[in-house]
Amino acid sequence: MNVDLHSHSTISDGVLTPQEVAARAHANGVQLWALTDHDETSGLALAREAARAHDMAFIPGVEISVTWAQHTVHILGLGIDESNEHLNAGLADIRVGRTVRAKEMANRFEQLGIPGAYEGALPYAANPALISRTHFARFLVENGYCANMQAVFEKYLGDGKPVSVPMHWSTLEQAVDWITGAGGRAIVAHPGRYDYTPLQFGAFFSQFKDIGGAGIEVVTGSHRPDQYAEYAQVARHYGFLASCGSDFHSPKEGKLDLGGVPALPADLTPVWHDWV
Ligand code: AMP
Ligand code: MN
Ligand code: MN
Ligand code: MN
């Protein structure tokens, strides 16, 4: 089965509307699809309707920004009830602060010789409440400051780089609590992207498991193929369910397209094992 449980629309930092993401997923052969916009659930009703029109199974999702040990991690909530008030109140709290941060990022860009970055990034953010580093990166690439998105993150926006403004997102406990309280499964998104020591990774996975985390992404557009094997081993070690997704944002960005996700190792229990 073709499964893609991680994708973004214009509700957060993707470039296609929820309906366009659904259409592209279907055209690319996806049979089980989740829309997982950052910190917001308002695209899920449109996504569900579009998926139904394509006769494609749909899982409502969200990707929650969390701060753990001074670094940002992303926790996917899959199979959530998007009308859950506790979840939506928590997500609304996380969104507060993005505008202030974006203006501070623009100040730093200006000091580095790139003026007008806030006004420049804003038109890329269809949903201004979700203005993110991705929108700034698109502005810099399309105006010739950097060759591609990756270069922007390496030079300016990545954690610890000159324009990365630290944020206090939600705690790990809050994110897991909101997700499980809304009937969903909490999944660590792209664990291979986090800059933790082995000791911190151990503490992080143990704590996540203890507080009710269900699984991790093993195959994602954010992992290199050697990391598929590495995180498959982590899933076995902790007894985590395994998930997979392209983390699609744009036809022009990212390593994997919708529906182009390699299969999970056969011995792992997929997060969707009892959903289909
Ligand atoms: P924010 O939520 O504003 O901190 O922005 C985070 C988003 O930036 C992620 O969801 C990705 O879409 C994007 N991002 C983070 N790191 C990279 C990277 N190295 N290359 C491209 N995009 C990235
Ligand atoms: Mn993103
Ligand atoms: Mn992410
Ligand atoms: Mn994502």
Side-chain angles (χ1 to χ4, degrees):
M1 188 169 53
N2 189 321
V3 178
D4 194 331
L5 298 179
H6 190 156
S7 62
H8 296 272
S9 76
T10 46
I11 296 296
S12 63
D13 58 352
V15 302
L16 304 182
T17 63
Q19 295 96 320
E20 288 167 341
V21 181
R24 189 178 182 93
H26 177 67
N28 289 357
V30 174
Q31 294 161 292
L32 179 66
W33 170 57
L35 183 70
T36 54
D37 275 308
H38 297 285
D39 305 326
E40 170 131 18
T41 59
S42 67
L44 296 175
L46 289 170
R48 178 184 292 103
E49 195 181 309
R52 190 178 292 134
H54 293 297
D55 210 15
M56 177 171 63
F58 177 69
I59 302 294
V62 65
E63 181 172 17
I64 302 183
S65 307
V66 163
T67 302
W68 194 89
Q70 275 112 63
H71 288 280
T72 297
V73 303
H74 287 168
I75 304 296
L76 291 172
L78 295 177
I80 51 164
D81 166 9
E82 77 257 28
S83 68
N84 184 279
E85 283 177 23
H86 192 51
L87 168 68
N88 284 313
L91 297 179
D93 277 347
I94 303 183
R95 292 193 294 270
V96 174
R98 275 191 181 268
T99 299
V100 172
R101 174 209 198 204
K103 288 181 178 162
E104 171 59 20
M105 285 164 62
N107 288 340
R108 295 193 191 183
F109 272 125
E110 184 147 16
Q111 283 161 20
L112 295 166
I114 302 174
Y118 179 71
E119 295 72 20
L122 211 48
Y124 291 93
N127 177 4
L130 253 290
I131 187 160
S132 79
R133 288 184 285 169
T134 317
H135 303 113
F136 280 90
R138 291 194 183 119
F139 164 72
L140 262 73
V141 171
E142 304 215 359
N143 287 277
Y145 290 110
C146 289
N148 53 50
M149 302 285 284
Q150 204 51 44
V152 185
F153 279 89
E154 274 164 27
K155 190 163 181 196
Y156 298 111
L157 290 178
D159 285 353
K161 304 292 177 178
V163 186
S164 121
V165 177
M167 287 289 278
H168 292 286
W169 302 114
S170 61
T171 66
L172 187 62
E173 291 90 338
Q174 286 173 316
V176 172
D177 178 47
W178 296 333
I179 292 165
T180 54
R185 287 185 176 153
I187 303 289
V188 179
H190 42 62
R193 255 182 38 191
Y194 309 132
D195 193 15
Y196 290 135
T197 64
L199 206 63
Q200 285 178 311
F201 264 117
F204 174 74
F205 288 131
S206 298
Q207 185 190 353
F208 182 68
K209 175 101 185 164
D210 285 348
I211 63 179
I216 64 171
E217 280 192 313
V218 170
V219 176
T220 133
S222 296
H223 282 173
R224 299 182 309 268
D226 63 292
Q227 291 176 315
Y228 302 167
E230 180 180 349
Y231 290 98
Q233 202 45 44
V234 170
R236 292 180 193 109
H237 179 80
Y238 289 93
F240 284 139
L241 300 175
S243 193
C244 65
S246 58
D247 204 358
F248 175 83
H249 285 73
S250 156
K252 292 191 287 186
E253 297 163 11
K255 279 189 260 187
L256 298 180
D257 199 344
L258 284 159
V261 183
L264 287 172
D267 65 299
L268 300 180
T269 306
V271 60
W272 64 87
H273 70 99
D274 54 354
W275 287 341
V276 289

